[in-house]
Amino acid sequence: MALIVHKYGGTSMGSTDRIKNVARRVAKWHDAGHQIVVVPSAMSGETNRLIALAKEVQNPPDPRELDMIAATGEQVSVALLSMALQAIGKAAVSYAGWQVGIRTDSAFTKARIQSIDDKRVRNDLEQNRIVIITGFQGVDDDNNIATLGRGGSDTSAVAIAAALKADECLIYTDVDGVYTTDPRVVSDARRLKNITFEEMLEMASLGSKVLQTRSVEFAGNYRVPTRVLSSLTDPLMDLAEEASSGTLISFEEDTDMEQAVISGIAFNRDEAKITVMGVPDRPGVAYHILGPVADANIEVDMIIQNQSVDGKTDFTFTVSRNDYNRALEALNAQQAQIGFSSLVGDAKVSKISVVGVGMRSHVGVASQMFRTLAEESINIMMISTSEIKISVLIDEKYMELAVRALHKVFELEKE
């Protein structure tokens, strides 16, 4: 008997028929003797509907009140799933986050989990009940409801699994695992049976949308074995087959097999590049440029500073395309203080990254990547690296060509 946490996304909970299917799947695991905790998202589209209602009344909405409204989506889901389980003869009970002691900080709409009290849940599990807990939310020290932001149900599920020391956290979604790259771009992209937490964290942060970055961080920090698998399969499929399906995210030291050099290719279409020209090359130049950008609550990604010529340098960085115009405005407002000669921008660039823990023990990945792009006549604008990833910035019109070429040259279609 194992303690398993199931997490179901909004698509899986999108209608009463789908909720009944989730109930059948959960009951199958419980019938096999496992203790089961379920963390469902709100029904598909419900959170957007609730936020839109709030904006009709107050725009922008008060963050505390917005969390009060947004948290109701998951409360509906957990109650409906509990009822669906009861209807097929299962003892089930649903809880809002505050009822099982999920404590957060007070950063409304983007709170972080601080602690979880597992006593109530463990008592129910010992009574052979299936426990269903709202994702995406908790309460702060003043008992205000606080939500975790987009994708917060993934983080809730992993955090609950960590608190309960669960044997595994199963993230059910509308895809059947983590792929070497997006199958919509590369038709022969391959589903990975295993991926390390480090690789998954890089993939998530670099553009892969399968899992939210914070949930992967949580799983890695607390060593929660996590599996991504499909909720669109037959809910009554063989349990052993289901338990080994999808992609298992685990630890590098957990396997004695040699890691592939490259595990996957991530990409982000929504990048923009800004170059600050003719900046006086003196101590603090990076702070004076990036300070106003940070003050505008804009995240910076890749950064390059050129060699100084005649006491002047150029400073280039990337931001999300949605923040491009605001970043330019923030810099122009500080031109006198920064002392640059001009701004040059490009909002039509994309970032491509090759990721793999095998890069630690293999040389030549960078040269192979750069040679492949050169053979396709694709110019590299910026480069950044870490121990297990290499990222390049290119013109967005070559993005899909570059992904397909790199996927082929690193033979990612092969087992």
Side-chain angles (χ1 to χ4, degrees), residues 193-212:
K193 293 179 180 177
N194 296 277
I195 189 170
T196 69
F197 280 104
E198 284 183 281
E199 290 170 324
M200 190 66 241
L201 187 57
E202 291 282 12
M203 295 279 280
S205 65
L206 294 168
S208 176
K209 299 294 192 285
V210 176
L211 278 181
Q212 196 226 21

Side-chain angles (χ1 to χ4, degrees), residues 154-410:
D154 284 355
T155 304
S156 298
V158 175
I160 289 166
L164 294 171
K165 295 182 172 56
D167 294 275
E168 195 162 291
C169 182
L170 306 183
I171 307 287
Y172 286 90
T173 180
D174 53 2
V175 296
D176 62 349
V178 180
Y179 278 72
T180 50
T181 195
D182 189 335
R184 293 170 295 185
V185 173
V186 180
S187 60
D188 56 358
R190 176 175 54 85
R191 180 173 59 80
L192 298 166
K193 293 179 180 177
N194 296 277
I195 189 170
T196 69
F197 280 104
E198 284 183 281
E199 290 170 324
M200 190 66 241
L201 187 57
E202 291 282 12
M203 295 279 280
S205 65
L206 294 168
S208 176
K209 299 294 192 285
V210 176
L211 278 181
Q212 196 226 21
T213 305
R214 279 167 63 191
S215 68
V216 183
E217 288 175 343
F218 219 110
N221 289 341
Y222 291 91
R223 300 184 70 85
V224 179
T226 303
R227 186 179 296 273
V228 179
L229 64 171
S230 175
S231 65
L232 303 181
T233 55
D234 179 356
L236 300 181
M237 72 182 290
D238 179 71
L239 185 67
E241 181 184 351
E242 184 175 334
S244 61
S245 66
T247 301
L248 178 64
I249 308 169
S250 58
F251 299 90
E252 195 175 345
E253 59 267 28
D254 288 347
T255 174
D256 55 7
M257 294 179 65
E258 184 176 355
Q259 294 288 340
V261 180
I262 299 300
S263 291
I265 299 173
F267 57 85
N268 188 355
R269 304 174 189 269
D270 300 320
E271 295 272 329
K273 176 171 70 82
I274 296 173
T275 300
V276 187
M277 307 286 290
V279 183
D281 188 17
R282 57 175 182 255
V285 62
Y287 165 72
H288 289 300
I289 292 171
L290 299 181
V293 176
D295 291 342
N297 199 28
I298 297 170
E299 288 188 20
V300 172
D301 186 12
M302 304 170 79
I303 301 172
I304 290 178
Q305 183 174 340
N306 291 346
Q307 179 68 38
S308 174
V309 177
D310 298 327
K312 299 282 187 179
T313 186
D314 298 335
F315 190 94
T316 303
F317 61 95
T318 63
V319 297
S320 167
R321 196 170 296 177
N322 292 333
D323 293 326
Y324 174 64
N325 289 325
R326 289 198 303 120
L328 291 176
E329 290 169 7
L331 289 168
N332 277 319
Q334 299 294 320
Q335 181 170 12
Q337 289 87 339
I338 299 171
F340 62 83
S341 60
S342 63
L343 292 178
V344 177
D346 186 350
K348 295 184 177 181
V349 293
S350 295
K351 181 173 67 174
I352 297 176
S353 309
V354 295
V355 178
V357 294
M359 289 167 60
R360 289 182 176 136
S361 55
H362 291 77
V363 298
V365 174
S367 62
Q368 176 78 295
M369 181 181 189
F370 301 154
R371 181 169 66 248
T372 301
L373 295 176
E375 288 171 353
E376 298 291 345
S377 301
I378 299 172
N379 184 48
I380 298 172
M381 302 175 187
M382 297 176 73
I383 302 167
S384 72
T385 65
S386 75
E387 196 177 18
I388 65 166
K389 77 111 192 310
I390 302 169
S391 297
V392 297
L393 196 73
I394 64 172
D395 190 309
E396 71 169 357
K397 67 184 178 183
Y398 298 119
M399 193 275 295
E400 293 193 7
L401 171 63
V403 171
R404 286 192 286 267
L406 291 170
H407 196 275
K408 182 176 181 179
V409 78
F410 287 115

